Amino acid sequence: MKYAGLQLKRTFKSFPKIFLMSLMIFCMAGALFYAKFSSSSNKSEYSKIKIGLVENDEGKYFQMGIYALEHMDNFRFSVSFTTLSTEEEAKKMLYSGELNLYAVIPDGFIDSIIYGRNKSIKVVLGTAQAGLGTKILTEFLDGASSLITDTQAGIYSYHDYYAKHLKRYGKKERSREYELNFHYANLVVGRHTLFGINELMAGEVVSTGAYYLSAMIFFFLLLWGLGNAFLYIRNDDSMQKLLSSTGHPTLSLVAADWISCFALLLAVMFLPSLAFLFTVHLAEGFIPELETFDFFWRFKFLFWLLPSMIFVVSLELFLLENVRDTVSGLSLLFIVAVFLAYLGGCFYPVELFPKAMRLVSKFSPGGVAFESIRSAFRTSDSSWAHALTLLYSALLFALTAFFRRRRILHE
């Protein structure tokens, strides 16, 4: 107990700077979370790919097709067209960054497609648009040509039927043709009516917002050890050997270090937990589950953080047990934190992984610890995840004691 008290006193001497560093990491993670979901929840702020169209002689129906394409469903990347009179003007706007690319539509483009001559569109991109951006932009142009061609084919058929077969094409028919074009374009681009999905769910039964909030918290816990690693990296084991020689078991020495580390984490998490209790309701627009939970659920959520907190403390002490200098310790902690966060699904939802990797992720230490946090957003908790997280923690604790005992006996 004296050794445990000494470790606690030594640990909390460094508490102010550790707390400030941890608070900085937590605030940055929170700001990124808020920025991501506040921007993605507002469709009017979706990014637009700016495409310039050098003017041609296709007439109003070509422009109507462009209008239809431009007003397609609001994707993360939607498209905006700018009509230009000359290619020189388009080049200037491309160089200045006002356009992502421009296209020169040849005269008679629609007729050439309908009658099988297929004139090609000239597309000019900036050097920074290579890779995925090029793919996206060419897909838009391909969609534009397909949409416009289909629309024009319907218009030409209507026009030919009245003009050639019925020998009349007056104001009334022209008006109907115009209405038919808009109706047809709405059928082609109105794809939102085909789907009933309101939100992409991550982790199958939690919303995207709940998933990434849990990911932010878990990743913070994994990185937390970077701020206090220097306290648990020992260059000299003299005290450990002395205490062991006087009959103190290695298990109790490791337990004393574990208690001091866990107490420090609890102290660091105190203010963020208070902030969570009184501000989490502001995230209801990002996390639909919050609308169904009462105030006391927030205490339950903090309680379900304990298994993951126990896990990260056990993981930190295990990794630092055989490290002799701070640089090696920090590097090891960071690499393992990123690896566990990636495999657990912090960066990308586990459902996006290949089948074999999903199975590995489900039972990996990071995967079960992350699952134990996000399960709080479900109506039924994942008891297996909490139990498995605690089991991994106990295993890491036992391995830490084993390696310390082996090193003391060896020396």
Side-chain angles (χ1 to χ4, degrees):
M1 292 303 296
K2 289 181 179 180
Y3 175 74
L6 181 64
Q7 283 293 78
L8 282 170
K9 183 178 180 181
R10 175 173 171 264
T11 298
F12 277 89
K13 278 185 177 180
S14 304
F15 173 74
K17 60 181 179 182
I18 293 174
F19 175 74
L20 289 176
M21 184 180 299
S22 302
L23 190 62
M24 187 186 307
I25 295 173
F26 193 85
C27 288
M28 286 190 293
L32 288 173
F33 171 79
Y34 179 80
K36 174 180 173 57
F37 285 96
S38 62
S39 60
S40 62
S41 63
N42 189 351
K43 290 187 176 182
S44 63
E45 295 180 4
Y46 281 178
S47 302
K48 286 203 171 192
I49 296 176
K50 299 176 285 271
I51 299 178
L53 289 177
V54 179
E55 197 170 279
N56 57 78
D57 65 348
E58 297 303 319
K60 63 181 180 181
Y61 294 115
F62 182 86
Q63 296 300 326
M64 191 178 295
I66 291 295
Y67 173 85
L69 182 68
E70 191 173 7
H71 290 77
M72 290 170 75
D73 304 317
N74 287 332
F75 293 140
R76 174 71 59 183
F77 294 100
S78 54
V79 63
S80 171
F81 291 100
T82 303
T83 304
L84 305 167
S85 56
T86 63
E87 187 174 356
E88 287 69 24
E89 182 183 0
K91 284 183 180 178
K92 289 180 181 179
M93 295 183 69
L94 182 64
Y95 289 143
S96 64
E98 298 176 61
L99 296 175
N100 296 107
L101 83 164
Y102 70 82
V104 181
I105 314 294
D107 293 341
F109 172 69
I110 297 299
D111 286 335
S112 72
I113 292 179
I114 291 174
Y115 294 109
R117 291 188 290 269
N118 293 332
K119 292 184 178 180
S120 60
I121 298 176
K122 177 183 177 182
V123 180
V124 181
L125 304 97
T127 54
Q129 300 299 330
L132 182 60
T134 304
K135 290 284 186 184
I136 295 173
L137 296 171
T138 28
E139 284 297 324
F140 272 120
L141 281 179
D142 181 64
S145 62
S146 301
L147 174 64
I148 294 168
T149 301
D150 291 344
T151 306
Q152 293 295 301
I155 293 172
Y156 270 79
S157 300
Y158 184 91
H159 183 96
D160 289 347
Y161 177 76
Y162 272 90
K164 295 179 180 179
H165 297 281
L166 300 182
K167 305 298 182 183
R168 60 188 176 86
Y169 196 81
K171 183 177 180 181
K172 184 179 180 180
E173 287 74 26
R174 196 173 292 109
S175 175
R176 286 178 178 173
E177 176 187 328
Y178 207 71
E179 292 175 7
L180 176 63
N181 185 80
F182 271 113
H183 181 65
Y184 184 80
N186 284 330
L187 288 177
V188 175
V189 301
R191 288 165 293 123
H192 59 279
T193 59
L194 300 178
F195 305 97
I197 299 174
N198 294 323
E199 182 183 4
L200 171 67
M201 304 300 283
E204 297 181 355
V205 289
V206 296
S207 67
T208 308
Y211 187 93
Y212 280 108
L213 176 62
S214 303
M216 178 198 76
I217 294 173
F218 181 57
F219 192 48
F220 163 76
L221 290 175
L222 288 173
L223 292 178
W224 170 79
L226 297 175
N228 66 319
F230 67 95
L231 293 172
Y232 300 100
I233 297 175
R234 290 184 306 276
N235 296 321
D236 185 4
D237 286 324
S238 299
M239 180 178 287
Q240 301 290 314
K241 289 185 283 187
L242 176 62
L243 291 171
S244 295
S245 65
T246 56
H248 293 82
T250 307
L251 199 64
S252 63
L253 299 178
V254 175
D257 291 335
W258 192 95
I259 289 172
S260 67
C261 189
F262 186 70
L264 182 61
L265 179 56
L266 287 176
V268 167
M269 290 292 290
F270 178 72
L271 281 183
S273 298
L274 282 181
F276 175 85
L277 289 175
F278 296 104
T279 62
V280 69
H281 64 278
L282 300 177
E284 286 184 0
F286 314 138
I287 307 174
E289 289 91 340
L290 294 178
E291 299 177 3
T292 61
F293 294 142
D294 58 18
F295 181 81
F296 293 100
W297 169 86
R298 305 175 192 185
F299 291 95
K300 173 189 170 184
F301 179 81
L302 294 177
F303 178 76
W304 282 132
L305 288 182
L306 289 177
S308 296
M309 293 169 63
I310 292 171
F311 169 75
V312 297
V313 169
S314 300
L315 177 67
E316 179 185 352
L317 292 180
F318 169 72
L319 294 176
L320 298 180
E321 182 58 35
N322 291 300
V323 175
R324 292 297 188 176
D325 61 277
T326 304
V327 174
S328 300
L330 293 178
S331 301
L332 182 62
L333 283 173
F334 182 77
I335 292 171
V336 172
V338 172
F339 174 75
L340 290 179
Y342 178 81
L343 189 61
C346 284
F347 303 146
Y348 301 100
V350 176
E351 286 67 30
L352 299 179
F353 292 164
K355 186 176 180 180
M357 194 171 175
R358 287 202 301 269
L359 185 62
V360 173
S361 174
K362 185 176 181 179
F363 295 101
S364 68
V368 295
F370 182 28
E371 167 64 21
S372 72
I373 295 177
R374 68 174 184 264
S375 67
F377 288 98
R378 301 173 184 161
T379 53
S380 58
D381 295 321
S382 297
S383 301
W384 69 270
H386 304 312
L388 200 52
T389 302
L390 293 175
L391 180 62
Y392 278 128
S393 303
L395 180 61
L396 290 170
F397 181 86
L399 288 173
T400 304
F402 171 76
F403 284 122
R404 184 175 300 186
R405 177 65 178 170
R406 189 183 69 169
R407 189 176 69 253
I408 290 174
L409 290 177
H410 175 72
E411 292 180 353

